């Protein structure tokens, strides 16, 4: 098994080399199967170890499937034991919740009035001086500097309208700062056609798609539709990360393809680094679709259905 992505999984010998199975290291017939994903084959344990640097990022006990009705979803490629970690991954992007009182733009912890600092470059509030240099803050810092006037935070006990622009802005800046993450993010579902014209869509158009270019003075950088697509991706795929108070929001790549079930076969937790971890509370058979519950299991049916319409 893979242990937190640090060591290669063991190999399992098979009776014969399946047709077309060759070792990716030497191109010779491969008769040993990776036990972590049951998808990769090697000729020897030594060659598996040599290839681990390349294979570790895709060594998961599931495969990505797709169809017109369900879109992309995950299916177990082997029998998964109870307690086994199925997926652990870092976020593509993370930021404040859409509706939130001011938080530190570096570590995303809540702030107390008169007990905070300002980023020396842009004025956004931080709880410690080192938080102004965190990578996550650089998107809004760059655009606030470019607008020619610093951010000035006056009220700390009510939601601040500009905060709902921060994580969409961080997403949009991935296109130039991290193209690989941007490519993964933009492939995620936004349900834009279903959202268009709804009350939430109209609020997002006024409060995000129109506010970003006006506040940050970047009118020609993105179209309204481009911004609204990102907002949709965030609302459909965002996970609440309960590591700060108030919680932050993050989007993960493979995690976004795990489907909903009122009787899920996966549970989730988070590491202190913000990584999301999915594990099996009970055995999962090879071929089963992987699922989590998108809503709170204690909600009534009506509340869950209403929530699912939004996600």
């Amino acid at each position: 098994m893979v242990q937190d992505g640090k060591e290669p999984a063991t190999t399992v010998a098979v009776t014969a080399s399946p047709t077309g199975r060759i070792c990716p290291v030497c191109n010779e017939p491969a008769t040993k199967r990776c036990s972590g994903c049951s998808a990769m084959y090697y000729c020897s344990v030594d060659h598996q170890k040599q290839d681990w640097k390349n294979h570790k990022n895709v060594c998961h006990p599931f495969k990505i499937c797709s169809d017109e009705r369900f879109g992309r979803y995950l299916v177990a490629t082997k029998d998964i034991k109870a307690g086994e970690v199925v997926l652990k991954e870092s976020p593509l992007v993370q930021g404040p919740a859409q509706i939130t009182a001011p938080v530190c733009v570096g570590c995303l912890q809540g702030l107390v009035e008169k007990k905070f600092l300002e980023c020396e470059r842009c004025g956004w509030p931080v709880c410690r001086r080192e938080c102004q240099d965190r990578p996550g803050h650089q998107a809004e810092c760059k655009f606030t500097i470019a607008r020619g006037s610093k951010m000035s935070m006056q009220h700390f006990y009510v939601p601040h309208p500009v905060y709902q622009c921060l994580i969409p802005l961080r997403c949009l800046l991935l296109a130039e700062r991290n193209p690989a993450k941007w490519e993964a993010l933009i492939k995620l579902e936004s349900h834009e056609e279903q959202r268009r014209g709804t009350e939430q869509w109209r609020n997002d158009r006024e409060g995000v798609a129109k506010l970003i270019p006006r506040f940050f003075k970047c009118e020609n950088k993105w179209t309204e539709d481009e911004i609204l697509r990102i907002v949709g991706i965030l609302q459909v795929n965002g996970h609440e990360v309960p590591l700060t108070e108030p919680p932050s929001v993050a989007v993960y790549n493979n995690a976004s393809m795990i489907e909903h079930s009122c009787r899920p076969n996966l549970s989730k937790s988070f590491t202190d680094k913000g990584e999301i971890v999915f594990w099996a509370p009970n055995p999962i058979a090879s071929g089963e679709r992987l699922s989590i519950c998108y809503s709170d299991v204690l909600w009534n049916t009506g509340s869950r259905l209403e929530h699912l319409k939004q996600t």
Side-chain angles (χ1 to χ4, degrees), residues 216 248 270 278 311:
F216 291 103
S248 62
F270 297 88
F278 294 94
T311 57

Side-chain angles (χ1 to χ4, degrees), residues 283-307:
I284 300 173
S286 177
E288 279 191 49
R289 294 163 70 135
L290 303 181
S291 61
I292 57 173
C293 185
Y294 287 4
S295 60
D296 192 313
V297 294
L298 298 180
W299 291 354
N300 60 40
T301 301
S303 297
R304 278 184 284 168
L305 288 173
E306 184 61 32
H307 178 74

Side-chain angles (χ1 to χ4, degrees), residues 219-282:
E219 287 81 0
N220 299 318
K221 186 73 173 176
W222 304 286
T223 66
E224 278 190 13
D225 284 346
E226 288 173 329
I227 297 173
L228 285 167
R229 182 181 180 187
I230 291 299
V231 174
I233 288 173
L234 288 167
Q235 292 184 355
V236 172
N237 302 283
H239 286 262
E240 182 179 272
V241 183
L243 300 177
T244 56
E245 182 54 46
S248 62
V249 172
V251 175
Y252 303 83
N253 186 26
N254 288 316
S256 297
M257 301 176 219
I258 301 176
E259 65 184 45
H260 165 78
S261 173
C262 290
R263 300 180 65 184
N265 54 17
L266 293 179
S267 294
K268 74 175 181 180
S269 58
F270 297 88
T271 71
D272 56 5
K273 296 180 180 179
E275 299 161 309
I276 197 167
V277 180
F278 294 94
W279 52 278
N282 297 296

Side-chain angles (χ1 to χ4, degrees), residues 5 7 13 20 41 48-49 54 59 80 115 121 144 182 194 200 209-210 231-232 249 259 261 264 276 279 303:
E7 295 293 337
Y41 289 76
Q48 181 195 24
K49 291 180 178 179
N54 298 319
C59 185
I80 298 171
K115 292 184 179 180
R121 298 181 295 272
T144 305
W182 170 255
Q194 296 93 322
Q200 181 65 58
K210 290 186 176 182
V231 174
V249 172
E259 65 184 45
S261 173
I276 197 167
W279 52 278
S303 297

Side-chain angles (χ1 to χ4, degrees), residues 82-131:
E84 184 174 342
V85 172
V86 175
L87 173 64
K88 176 182 177 182
E89 66 177 340
S90 299
L92 295 173
V93 65
Q94 187 171 6
Q98 187 171 9
I99 306 299
T100 181
V103 299
C104 172
V105 290
C107 68
L108 305 177
Q109 287 285 1
L111 295 170
V112 178
E113 191 173 7
K114 298 181 180 180
K115 292 184 179 180
F116 70 96
L117 303 173
E118 292 182 349
C119 174
E120 295 171 320
R121 298 181 295 272
C122 67
W124 280 93
V126 293
C127 61
R128 298 184 301 274
R129 184 55 62 204
E130 55 265 31
C131 282

Side-chain angles (χ1 to χ4, degrees), residues 5 22 46 51 70 91 123 137 149 162 190 220 268 277 300 304 311:
I22 59 172
D46 286 342
D51 190 51
F70 296 104
H137 168 53
S149 58
V162 181
S190 68
N220 299 318
K268 74 175 181 180
V277 180
N300 60 40
R304 278 184 284 168
T311 57

